[in-house]
Amino acid sequence: MTQALQPGQQNARTRAVWLLPEDGIIDFLAVELAARGVRPVALTPAERRIAAAFILATGGTPTTIAKRLHMAHSTARALAEQISADHLAA
């Protein structure tokens, strides 16, 4: 028997493809490819944060982060604010 998808489930599955489980390893090549927008790359949360910081450091915006890292604009904006706050605290 096949179970029908509820509204929003398909989007959740699509988004999950771009976020890998944390494994403690940073793939800097994947981070660079994603941050520069060369091609879509699945990243861990740590790699995603590094890529977002790179995008911001090179003049990018939360919109750029959302597009290149395949995340919601609200998530990209929150991540950008966290990175900026961490930078100011350092």
Side-chain angles (χ1 to χ4, degrees):
M1 178 193 262
T2 303
Q3 186 176 13
L5 290 176
Q6 298 297 320
Q9 281 184 322
Q10 185 62 39
N11 289 340
R13 286 186 188 164
T14 303
R15 281 191 300 266
V17 171
W18 299 112
L19 188 60
L20 299 173
E22 193 63 68
D23 59 6
I25 300 170
I26 303 297
D27 182 347
F28 289 103
L29 181 58
V31 169
E32 185 174 354
L33 289 172
R36 291 185 185 273
V38 173
R39 67 179 178 88
V41 180
L43 302 172
T44 66
E47 291 168 339
R48 194 181 245 195
R49 184 174 176 85
I50 293 167
F54 180 81
I55 291 168
L56 291 173
T58 57
T61 64
T63 301
T64 309
I65 292 170
K67 287 180 182 176
R68 290 185 185 173
L69 304 184
H70 307 282
M71 63 174 67
H73 188 268
S74 58
T75 304
R77 187 174 49 246
L79 183 57
E81 289 172 2
Q82 290 173 358
I83 291 167
S84 296
D86 290 348
H87 179 72
L88 292 175

Coordinates of all heavy atoms in Angstrom, one line a residue:
M1 N 0.8 -1.2 0.0 CA 0.0 0.0 0.0 C 0.9 1.2 0.0 O 1.8 1.3 0.7 CB -0.9 0.0 1.2 CG -1.8 1.2 1.3 SD -2.5 1.4 2.9 CE -4.1 0.7 2.6
T2 N 0.6 2.2 -0.8 CA 1.3 3.4 -0.9 C 0.7 4.5 -0.1 O -0.6 4.7 -0.2 CB 1.4 3.9 -2.4 OG1 2.0 2.8 -3.1 CG2 2.3 5.1 -2.5
Q3 N 1.4 5.2 0.7 CA 0.9 6.2 1.5 C 1.0 7.6 0.8 O 2.0 7.9 0.3 CB 1.6 6.3 2.9 CG 1.0 7.3 3.8 CD 1.8 7.3 5.2 OE1 2.9 6.7 5.2 NE2 1.2 7.9 6.2
A4 N -0.1 8.3 0.8 CA -0.1 9.6 0.1 C 0.7 10.6 0.9 O 0.7 10.6 2.2 CB -1.6 10.1 0.0
L5 N 1.4 11.5 0.2 CA 2.2 12.5 0.9 C 1.3 13.6 1.4 O 0.4 14.0 0.7 CB 3.2 13.1 -0.1 CG 4.4 12.2 -0.5 CD1 5.2 12.9 -1.5 CD2 5.2 11.8 0.7
Q6 N 1.5 14.1 2.6 CA 0.8 15.2 3.1 C 1.4 16.5 2.5 O 2.6 16.5 2.1 CB 1.0 15.3 4.6 CG 0.4 14.1 5.3 CD -1.1 14.0 5.1 OE1 -1.8 15.0 5.1 NE2 -1.6 12.7 4.9
P7 N 0.7 17.6 2.5 CA 1.2 18.9 2.0 C 2.5 19.2 2.7 O 2.6 19.2 3.9 CB 0.1 19.9 2.2 CG -1.1 19.1 2.3 CD -0.7 17.7 2.9
G8 N 3.5 19.5 2.0 CA 4.8 20.0 2.6 C 5.8 18.8 2.7 O 7.0 19.1 2.9
Q9 N 5.4 17.6 2.7 CA 6.3 16.5 2.8 C 7.3 16.4 1.7 O 8.4 16.1 1.9 CB 5.6 15.1 3.0 CG 5.0 14.9 4.3 CD 4.4 13.5 4.4 OE1 3.7 13.1 3.5 NE2 4.6 12.9 5.6
Q10 N 6.8 16.6 0.5 CA 7.7 16.5 -0.7 C 8.8 17.6 -0.6 O 10.0 17.3 -0.8 CB 6.9 16.7 -2.0 CG 7.8 16.5 -3.2 CD 8.4 15.1 -3.3 OE1 7.8 14.1 -3.0 NE2 9.7 15.1 -3.7
N11 N 8.4 18.8 -0.2 CA 9.4 19.9 0.0 C 10.4 19.5 1.1 O 11.6 19.8 0.9 CB 8.7 21.2 0.3 CG 8.0 21.8 -0.8 OD1 8.3 21.4 -2.0 ND2 7.1 22.6 -0.6
A12 N 10.0 18.9 2.1 CA 10.9 18.5 3.2 C 11.9 17.5 2.7 O 13.1 17.6 3.0 CB 10.1 17.9 4.4
R13 N 11.5 16.6 1.9 CA 12.4 15.6 1.3 C 13.4 16.3 0.4 O 14.6 15.9 0.4 CB 11.6 14.5 0.5 CG 10.9 13.6 1.4 CD 10.3 12.5 0.6 NE 9.5 11.6 1.4 CZ 8.6 10.8 1.0 NH1 8.4 10.7 -0.3 NH2 7.8 10.1 1.8
T14 N 12.9 17.2 -0.4 CA 13.8 17.9 -1.3 C 14.9 18.7 -0.6 O 16.0 18.7 -0.9 CB 13.0 18.9 -2.2 OG1 12.0 18.1 -2.9 CG2 13.9 19.5 -3.2
R15 N 14.4 19.4 0.5 CA 15.4 20.2 1.3 C 16.4 19.3 2.0 O 17.6 19.6 2.1 CB 14.6 21.0 2.3 CG 14.0 22.3 1.8 CD 13.5 23.2 2.9 NE 12.5 22.5 3.7 CZ 11.2 22.6 3.5 NH1 10.7 23.3 2.6 NH2 10.4 22.0 4.4
A16 N 16.0 18.1 2.4 CA 16.9 17.2 3.2 C 18.0 16.8 2.3 O 19.1 16.4 2.9 CB 16.1 16.1 3.7
V17 N 17.9 16.7 1.0 CA 18.9 16.3 0.2 C 20.1 17.2 0.3 O 21.3 16.8 0.1 CB 18.4 16.2 -1.3 CG1 19.6 15.9 -2.3 CG2 17.3 15.1 -1.4
W18 N 19.9 18.5 0.5 CA 21.0 19.4 0.5 C 21.7 19.5 1.9 O 22.7 20.2 2.0 CB 20.5 20.8 0.1 CG 20.0 20.8 -1.3 CD1 18.7 20.9 -1.7 CD2 20.7 20.5 -2.5 NE1 18.6 20.7 -3.0 CE2 19.8 20.5 -3.6 CE3 22.0 20.3 -2.8 CZ2 20.2 20.3 -4.9 CZ3 22.4 20.1 -4.1 CH2 21.5 20.1 -5.1
L19 N 21.2 18.9 2.9 CA 21.8 19.0 4.2 C 22.1 17.6 4.7 O 21.3 16.7 4.9 CB 20.8 19.6 5.2 CG 21.3 19.9 6.6 CD1 22.5 20.9 6.5 CD2 20.3 20.5 7.5
L20 N 23.4 17.4 4.8 CA 24.0 16.1 5.2 C 24.1 16.0 6.7 O 24.2 17.0 7.4 CB 25.3 15.9 4.6 CG 25.4 15.8 3.1 CD1 26.9 15.8 2.6 CD2 24.7 14.6 2.5
P21 N 24.1 14.8 7.3 CA 24.3 14.7 8.7 C 25.7 15.1 9.1 O 26.6 15.0 8.3 CB 24.1 13.2 9.0 CG 24.1 12.5 7.7 CD 23.9 13.5 6.7
E22 N 25.9 15.7 10.3 CA 27.2 16.2 10.7 C 28.1 14.9 10.9 O 27.7 14.0 11.6 CB 27.0 16.9 12.0 CG 28.2 17.7 12.4 CD 28.6 18.8 11.4 OE1 27.9 19.8 11.3 OE2 29.7 18.6 10.8
D23 N 29.3 15.0 10.4 CA 30.2 13.9 10.5 C 31.5 14.3 11.1 O 32.4 13.5 11.2 CB 30.4 13.1 9.2 CG 30.9 14.1 8.1 OD1 31.3 15.2 8.4 OD2 31.0 13.6 6.9
G24 N 31.7 15.6 11.4 CA 32.9 16.0 12.0 C 34.0 16.3 11.0 O 35.1 16.6 11.3
I25 N 33.7 16.1 9.7 CA 34.7 16.4 8.6 C 34.3 17.5 7.8 O 33.1 17.6 7.4 CB 34.9 15.1 7.8 CG1 35.4 13.9 8.6 CG2 35.8 15.4 6.6 CD1 35.3 12.6 7.9
I26 N 35.2 18.4 7.5 CA 34.9 19.6 6.6 C 35.5 19.3 5.3 O 36.7 19.1 5.1 CB 35.5 20.9 7.2 CG1 35.0 21.2 8.6 CG2 35.2 22.1 6.3 CD1 33.5 21.4 8.7
D27 N 34.7 19.3 4.3 CA 35.1 19.1 2.9 C 35.2 20.5 2.3 O 34.2 21.1 1.8 CB 34.1 18.2 2.1 CG 34.5 18.0 0.7 OD1 35.4 18.7 0.2 OD2 33.9 17.1 0.0
F28 N 36.4 21.1 2.3 CA 36.6 22.4 1.9 C 36.4 22.6 0.4 O 36.0 23.7 -0.1 CB 38.0 22.9 2.3 CG 38.1 23.2 3.7 CD1 38.8 22.3 4.5 CD2 37.5 24.3 4.3 CE1 38.9 22.5 5.9 CE2 37.6 24.5 5.7 CZ 38.3 23.6 6.5
L29 N 36.6 21.6 -0.4 CA 36.2 21.7 -1.8 C 34.7 21.8 -2.0 O 34.3 22.7 -2.8 CB 36.8 20.5 -2.6 CG 36.5 20.4 -4.1 CD1 37.1 21.7 -4.8 CD2 37.0 19.2 -4.7
A30 N 34.0 21.0 -1.3 CA 32.5 21.1 -1.4 C 32.0 22.5 -0.9 O 31.1 23.1 -1.5 CB 31.8 20.0 -0.6
V31 N 32.6 23.0 0.1 CA 32.3 24.3 0.7 C 32.5 25.4 -0.4 O 31.7 26.3 -0.7 CB 33.1 24.6 1.9 CG1 32.9 26.1 2.3 CG2 32.6 23.7 3.1
E32 N 33.7 25.3 -1.0 CA 34.0 26.3 -2.1 C 33.1 26.3 -3.3 O 32.7 27.3 -3.8 CB 35.5 26.2 -2.5 CG 35.9 27.3 -3.5 CD 37.4 27.3 -3.8 OE1 38.1 26.5 -3.2 OE2 37.8 28.1 -4.7
L33 N 32.8 25.0 -3.7 CA 31.9 24.9 -4.9 C 30.6 25.5 -4.6 O 30.0 26.2 -5.4 CB 31.8 23.4 -5.3 CG 33.0 22.8 -5.9 CD1 32.8 21.3 -6.0 CD2 33.3 23.4 -7.2
A34 N 30.0 25.2 -3.4 CA 28.7 25.7 -3.0 C 28.7 27.2 -2.8 O 27.9 27.9 -3.3 CB 28.2 25.0 -1.7
A35 N 29.7 27.7 -2.1 CA 29.8 29.1 -1.8 C 30.0 30.0 -3.1 O 29.4 31.1 -3.2 CB 30.9 29.4 -0.9
R36 N 30.7 29.5 -4.0 CA 30.9 30.2 -5.3 C 29.8 30.0 -6.3 O 29.7 30.7 -7.3 CB 32.2 29.8 -5.9 CG 33.4 30.3 -5.1 CD 34.7 30.0 -5.9 NE 35.9 30.3 -5.1 CZ 36.5 31.5 -5.1 NH1 36.0 32.5 -5.8 NH2 37.6 31.7 -4.4
G37 N 28.9 29.1 -6.0 CA 27.8 28.9 -6.9 C 28.1 28.1 -8.1 O 27.4 28.2 -9.1
V38 N 29.3 27.4 -8.1 CA 29.7 26.6 -9.2 C 28.7 25.5 -9.6 O 28.4 25.4 -10.7 CB 31.1 26.0 -9.0 CG1 31.5 25.1 -10.1 CG2 32.1 27.1 -8.7
R39 N 28.3 24.8 -8.6 CA 27.2 23.8 -8.8 C 26.6 23.5 -7.4 O 27.2 23.7 -6.4 CB 27.8 22.5 -9.4 CG 28.8 21.8 -8.6 CD 29.2 20.5 -9.4 NE 30.2 19.7 -8.6 CZ 29.9 18.8 -7.7 NH1 28.6 18.5 -7.5 NH2 30.8 18.1 -7.1
P40 N 25.4 22.9 -7.4 CA 24.8 22.5 -6.2 C 25.6 21.4 -5.5 O 26.0 20.4 -6.1 CB 23.4 22.0 -6.6 CG 23.2 22.4 -8.0 CD 24.6 22.6 -8.6
V41 N 25.7 21.6 -4.2 CA 26.5 20.6 -3.4 C 25.8 20.4 -2.0 O 25.4 21.4 -1.4 CB 27.9 21.1 -3.1 CG1 28.7 20.1 -2.3 CG2 28.7 21.4 -4.4
A42 N 25.6 19.2 -1.6 CA 25.1 18.9 -0.3 C 26.2 19.1 0.8 O 27.3 18.7 0.6 CB 24.6 17.4 -0.2
L43 N 25.8 19.8 1.9 CA 26.8 20.1 2.9 C 26.3 19.7 4.3 O 25.1 19.6 4.5 CB 27.0 21.7 2.9 CG 27.5 22.3 1.6 CD1 27.5 23.8 1.8 CD2 28.9 21.8 1.3
T44 N 27.2 19.5 5.2 CA 26.8 19.3 6.6 C 26.5 20.7 7.2 O 26.8 21.7 6.6 CB 28.0 18.7 7.4 OG1 29.1 19.6 7.4 CG2 28.4 17.4 6.8
P45 N 25.9 20.8 8.4 CA 25.6 22.1 9.0 C 26.9 22.9 9.2 O 26.9 24.1 8.9 CB 25.0 21.7 10.3 CG 24.3 20.4 10.1 CD 25.3 19.7 9.1
A46 N 28.0 22.3 9.6 CA 29.3 23.1 9.8 C 29.8 23.6 8.4 O 30.2 24.8 8.3 CB 30.3 22.2 10.4
E47 N 29.7 22.8 7.4 CA 30.2 23.2 6.1 C 29.3 24.4 5.5 O 29.7 25.3 4.9 CB 30.1 22.1 5.1 CG 31.2 21.0 5.4 CD 31.0 19.7 4.6 OE1 29.9 19.5 4.1 OE2 32.0 19.0 4.5
R48 N 28.0 24.2 5.8 CA 27.0 25.3 5.4 C 27.3 26.6 6.0 O 27.3 27.6 5.4 CB 25.6 24.8 5.8 CG 24.5 25.5 5.1 CD 23.2 25.0 5.6 NE 22.5 24.4 4.5 CZ 21.2 24.1 4.6 NH1 20.5 24.3 5.7 NH2 20.6 23.5 3.5
R49 N 27.7 26.6 7.3 CA 28.0 27.8 8.0 C 29.3 28.4 7.4 O 29.4 29.7 7.3 CB 28.2 27.5 9.5 CG 28.4 28.7 10.4 CD 28.5 28.3 11.8 NE 28.8 29.5 12.6 CZ 27.9 30.4 13.1 NH1 26.6 30.2 12.7 NH2 28.3 31.4 13.8
I50 N 30.3 27.6 7.1 CA 31.5 28.1 6.6 C 31.2 28.7 5.2 O 31.7 29.8 4.8 CB 32.6 27.0 6.5 CG1 33.0 26.6 7.9 CG2 33.8 27.5 5.6 CD1 33.8 25.3 7.9
A51 N 30.4 28.0 4.4 CA 30.1 28.5 3.0 C 29.3 29.9 3.1 O 29.6 30.8 2.4 CB 29.3 27.5 2.3
A52 N 28.4 30.0 4.1 CA 27.7 31.2 4.3 C 28.6 32.3 4.7 O 28.5 33.5 4.2 CB 26.6 31.0 5.3
A53 N 29.5 32.0 5.6 CA 30.5 33.1 6.0 C 31.3 33.5 4.8 O 31.6 34.7 4.7 CB 31.4 32.5 7.1
F54 N 31.7 32.6 4.0 CA 32.5 33.0 2.8 C 31.7 33.9 1.8 O 32.2 34.9 1.3 CB 32.9 31.7 2.0 CG 33.7 32.0 0.8 CD1 35.1 32.2 0.9 CD2 33.1 31.9 -0.5 CE1 35.8 32.5 -0.3 CE2 33.8 32.2 -1.6 CZ 35.2 32.5 -1.5
I55 N 30.4 33.5 1.6 CA 29.5 34.3 0.8 C 29.4 35.7 1.4 O 29.5 36.7 0.6 CB 28.2 33.6 0.7 CG1 28.3 32.4 -0.2 CG2 27.1 34.6 0.0 CD1 27.1 31.5 -0.1
L56 N 29.2 35.8 2.7 CA 29.1 37.2 3.3 C 30.4 37.9 3.2 O 30.4 39.2 2.9 CB 28.7 37.0 4.7 CG 27.3 36.6 5.0 CD1 27.1 36.3 6.5 CD2 26.2 37.5 4.5
A57 N 31.5 37.3 3.4 CA 32.8 37.9 3.3 C 33.2 38.5 1.9 O 33.9 39.4 1.8 CB 33.9 37.0 3.8
T58 N 32.6 37.9 0.9 CA 32.8 38.3 -0.5 C 31.7 39.2 -1.0 O 31.6 39.4 -2.2 CB 33.0 37.1 -1.4 OG1 31.9 36.3 -1.3 CG2 34.3 36.3 -1.1
G59 N 31.0 39.8 -0.1 CA 29.9 40.8 -0.4 C 28.6 40.2 -0.7 O 27.7 40.9 -1.2
G60 N 28.3 38.9 -0.4 CA 27.0 38.3 -0.7 C 26.0 38.7 0.3 O 26.3 39.4 1.4
T61 N 24.8 38.4 0.1 CA 23.7 38.7 0.9 C 22.9 37.5 1.4 O 23.2 36.4 0.8 CB 22.6 39.6 0.2 OG1 22.1 38.8 -0.9 CG2 23.3 40.9 -0.4
P62 N 22.0 37.6 2.3 CA 21.2 36.4 2.7 C 20.5 35.8 1.5 O 20.3 34.5 1.4 CB 20.2 36.9 3.7 CG 21.0 38.0 4.4 CD 21.7 38.7 3.2
T63 N 20.1 36.6 0.5 CA 19.5 36.0 -0.7 C 20.5 35.1 -1.5 O 20.1 34.1 -1.9 CB 18.9 37.2 -1.6 OG1 18.0 37.9 -0.8 CG2 18.3 36.6 -2.8
T64 N 21.7 35.6 -1.6 CA 22.7 34.8 -2.2 C 23.0 33.5 -1.5 O 23.1 32.4 -2.1 CB 24.0 35.6 -2.3 OG1 23.8 36.9 -2.9 CG2 25.1 34.8 -3.1
I65 N 23.0 33.6 -0.2 CA 23.2 32.4 0.7 C 22.0 31.4 0.4 O 22.3 30.2 0.2 CB 23.3 32.7 2.2 CG1 24.5 33.5 2.5 CG2 23.2 31.5 3.0 CD1 24.6 34.1 3.8
A66 N 20.8 31.9 0.4 CA 19.7 31.0 0.2 C 19.7 30.3 -1.1 O 19.4 29.1 -1.2 CB 18.4 31.9 0.4
K67 N 20.1 31.0 -2.2 CA 20.1 30.5 -3.5 C 21.2 29.5 -3.6 O 21.0 28.4 -4.1 CB 20.2 31.6 -4.5 CG 19.0 32.4 -4.7 CD 19.2 33.4 -5.8 CE 17.9 34.3 -6.0 NZ 18.1 35.4 -6.9
R68 N 22.4 29.8 -3.2 CA 23.6 28.9 -3.4 C 23.6 27.7 -2.5 O 24.1 26.7 -2.9 CB 24.9 29.7 -3.2 CG 25.1 30.7 -4.4 CD 26.4 31.4 -4.2 NE 26.6 32.4 -5.2 CZ 27.6 33.3 -5.3 NH1 28.5 33.2 -4.4 NH2 27.6 34.2 -6.2
L69 N 23.0 27.9 -1.3 CA 23.1 26.8 -0.3 C 21.7 26.1 -0.2 O 21.6 25.2 0.7 CB 23.5 27.3 1.0 CG 24.9 28.0 1.0 CD1 25.3 28.4 2.4 CD2 25.9 27.2 0.4
H70 N 20.8 26.4 -1.0 CA 19.5 25.7 -1.1 C 18.8 25.7 0.2 O 18.5 24.6 0.8 CB 19.6 24.3 -1.7 CG 20.3 24.3 -3.0 ND1 19.7 24.6 -4.2 CD2 21.6 24.1 -3.3 CE1 20.6 24.6 -5.1 NE2 21.8 24.2 -4.6
M71 N 18.5 26.9 0.8 CA 17.8 27.0 2.0 C 16.8 28.1 1.9 O 16.8 28.9 1.0 CB 18.7 27.2 3.2 CG 19.5 28.5 3.1 SD 20.5 28.9 4.6 CE 21.8 27.6 4.5
A72 N 15.8 28.1 2.9 CA 14.8 29.1 2.9 C 15.5 30.5 3.2 O 16.5 30.5 3.9 CB 13.8 28.8 4.0
H73 N 14.9 31.5 2.7 CA 15.5 32.9 2.9 C 15.5 33.2 4.4 O 16.5 33.8 4.8 CB 14.7 33.9 2.1 CG 15.4 35.2 2.1 ND1 15.1 36.2 3.0 CD2 16.3 35.8 1.3 CE1 15.8 37.2 2.8 NE2 16.6 37.0 1.8
S74 N 14.5 32.8 5.1 CA 14.5 33.1 6.5 C 15.6 32.4 7.3 O 16.2 33.0 8.2 CB 13.1 32.8 7.2 OG 12.9 31.4 6.9
T75 N 15.9 31.2 6.9 CA 17.0 30.5 7.4 C 18.4 31.1 7.1 O 19.2 31.3 7.9 CB 17.0 29.0 7.0 OG1 15.7 28.4 7.3 CG2 18.1 28.2 7.6
A76 N 18.5 31.5 5.8 CA 19.7 32.2 5.4 C 19.9 33.5 6.1 O 21.0 33.8 6.5 CB 19.6 32.4 3.9
R77 N 18.8 34.3 6.3 CA 18.9 35.5 7.0 C 19.4 35.3 8.5 O 20.2 36.0 9.0 CB 17.6 36.3 7.0 CG 17.6 37.7 7.5 CD 16.3 38.5 7.3 NE 15.2 37.7 7.8 CZ 14.2 37.3 7.0 NH1 14.3 37.5 5.7 NH2 13.2 36.6 7.4
A78 N 18.8 34.3 9.1 CA 19.1 34.0 10.5 C 20.6 33.6 10.6 O 21.3 34.0 11.5 CB 18.2 32.9 11.1
L79 N 21.0 32.8 9.7 CA 22.4 32.3 9.6 C 23.4 33.5 9.4 O 24.4 33.6 10.1 CB 22.6 31.3 8.5 CG 24.0 30.6 8.4 CD1 24.4 30.0 9.7 CD2 24.0 29.6 7.3
A80 N 23.0 34.4 8.5 CA 23.8 35.6 8.3 C 23.9 36.4 9.5 O 25.0 37.0 9.9 CB 23.3 36.4 7.1
E81 N 22.8 36.6 10.2 CA 22.8 37.4 11.5 C 23.7 36.7 12.5 O 24.5 37.4 13.3 CB 21.4 37.5 12.0 CG 20.6 38.5 11.2 CD 19.1 38.5 11.5 OE1 18.7 37.8 12.5 OE2 18.3 39.2 10.9
Q82 N 23.7 35.4 12.7 CA 24.5 34.7 13.6 C 26.0 34.9 13.3 O 26.8 35.1 14.2 CB 24.2 33.2 13.6 CG 22.9 32.8 14.2 CD 22.5 31.4 14.0 OE1 23.3 30.6 13.4 NE2 21.4 31.0 14.5
I83 N 26.3 34.7 12.0 CA 27.7 34.9 11.6 C 28.2 36.3 11.8 O 29.3 36.5 12.3 CB 27.9 34.5 10.1 CG1 27.6 33.0 9.9 CG2 29.2 34.9 9.6 CD1 27.5 32.5 8.5
S84 N 27.4 37.3 11.5 CA 27.7 38.7 11.8 C 27.9 39.0 13.2 O 28.9 39.7 13.6 CB 26.7 39.6 11.2 OG 26.6 39.5 9.8
A85 N 27.0 38.4 14.1 CA 27.2 38.6 15.5 C 28.4 38.0 16.1 O 29.1 38.5 16.9 CB 25.9 38.1 16.2
D86 N 28.7 36.8 15.6 CA 30.0 36.1 16.0 C 31.2 36.9 15.6 O 32.2 37.0 16.3 CB 30.0 34.7 15.4 CG 29.0 33.7 16.0 OD1 28.4 34.1 17.1 OD2 28.8 32.6 15.5
H87 N 31.1 37.4 14.4 CA 32.3 38.2 13.9 C 32.5 39.5 14.7 O 33.6 39.8 15.0 CB 32.1 38.6 12.4 CG 33.2 39.4 11.8 ND1 34.4 38.9 11.5 CD2 33.2 40.7 11.5 CE1 35.2 39.9 11.1 NE2 34.5 41.0 11.0
L88 N 31.4 40.1 15.1 CA 31.5 41.3 15.9 C 32.0 41.0 17.3 O 32.7 41.8 17.9 CB 30.2 42.1 16.0 CG 29.7 42.7 14.7 CD1 28.3 43.3 14.9 CD2 30.6 43.8 14.2
A89 N 31.6 39.9 17.8 CA 32.1 39.5 19.2 C 33.5 39.1 19.2 O 34.2 39.1 20.3 CB 31.2 38.3 19.7
A90 N 34.1 38.7 18.1 CA 35.5 38.2 18.1 C 36.5 39.3 18.1 O 36.3 40.4 18.0 CB 35.7 37.3 16.8

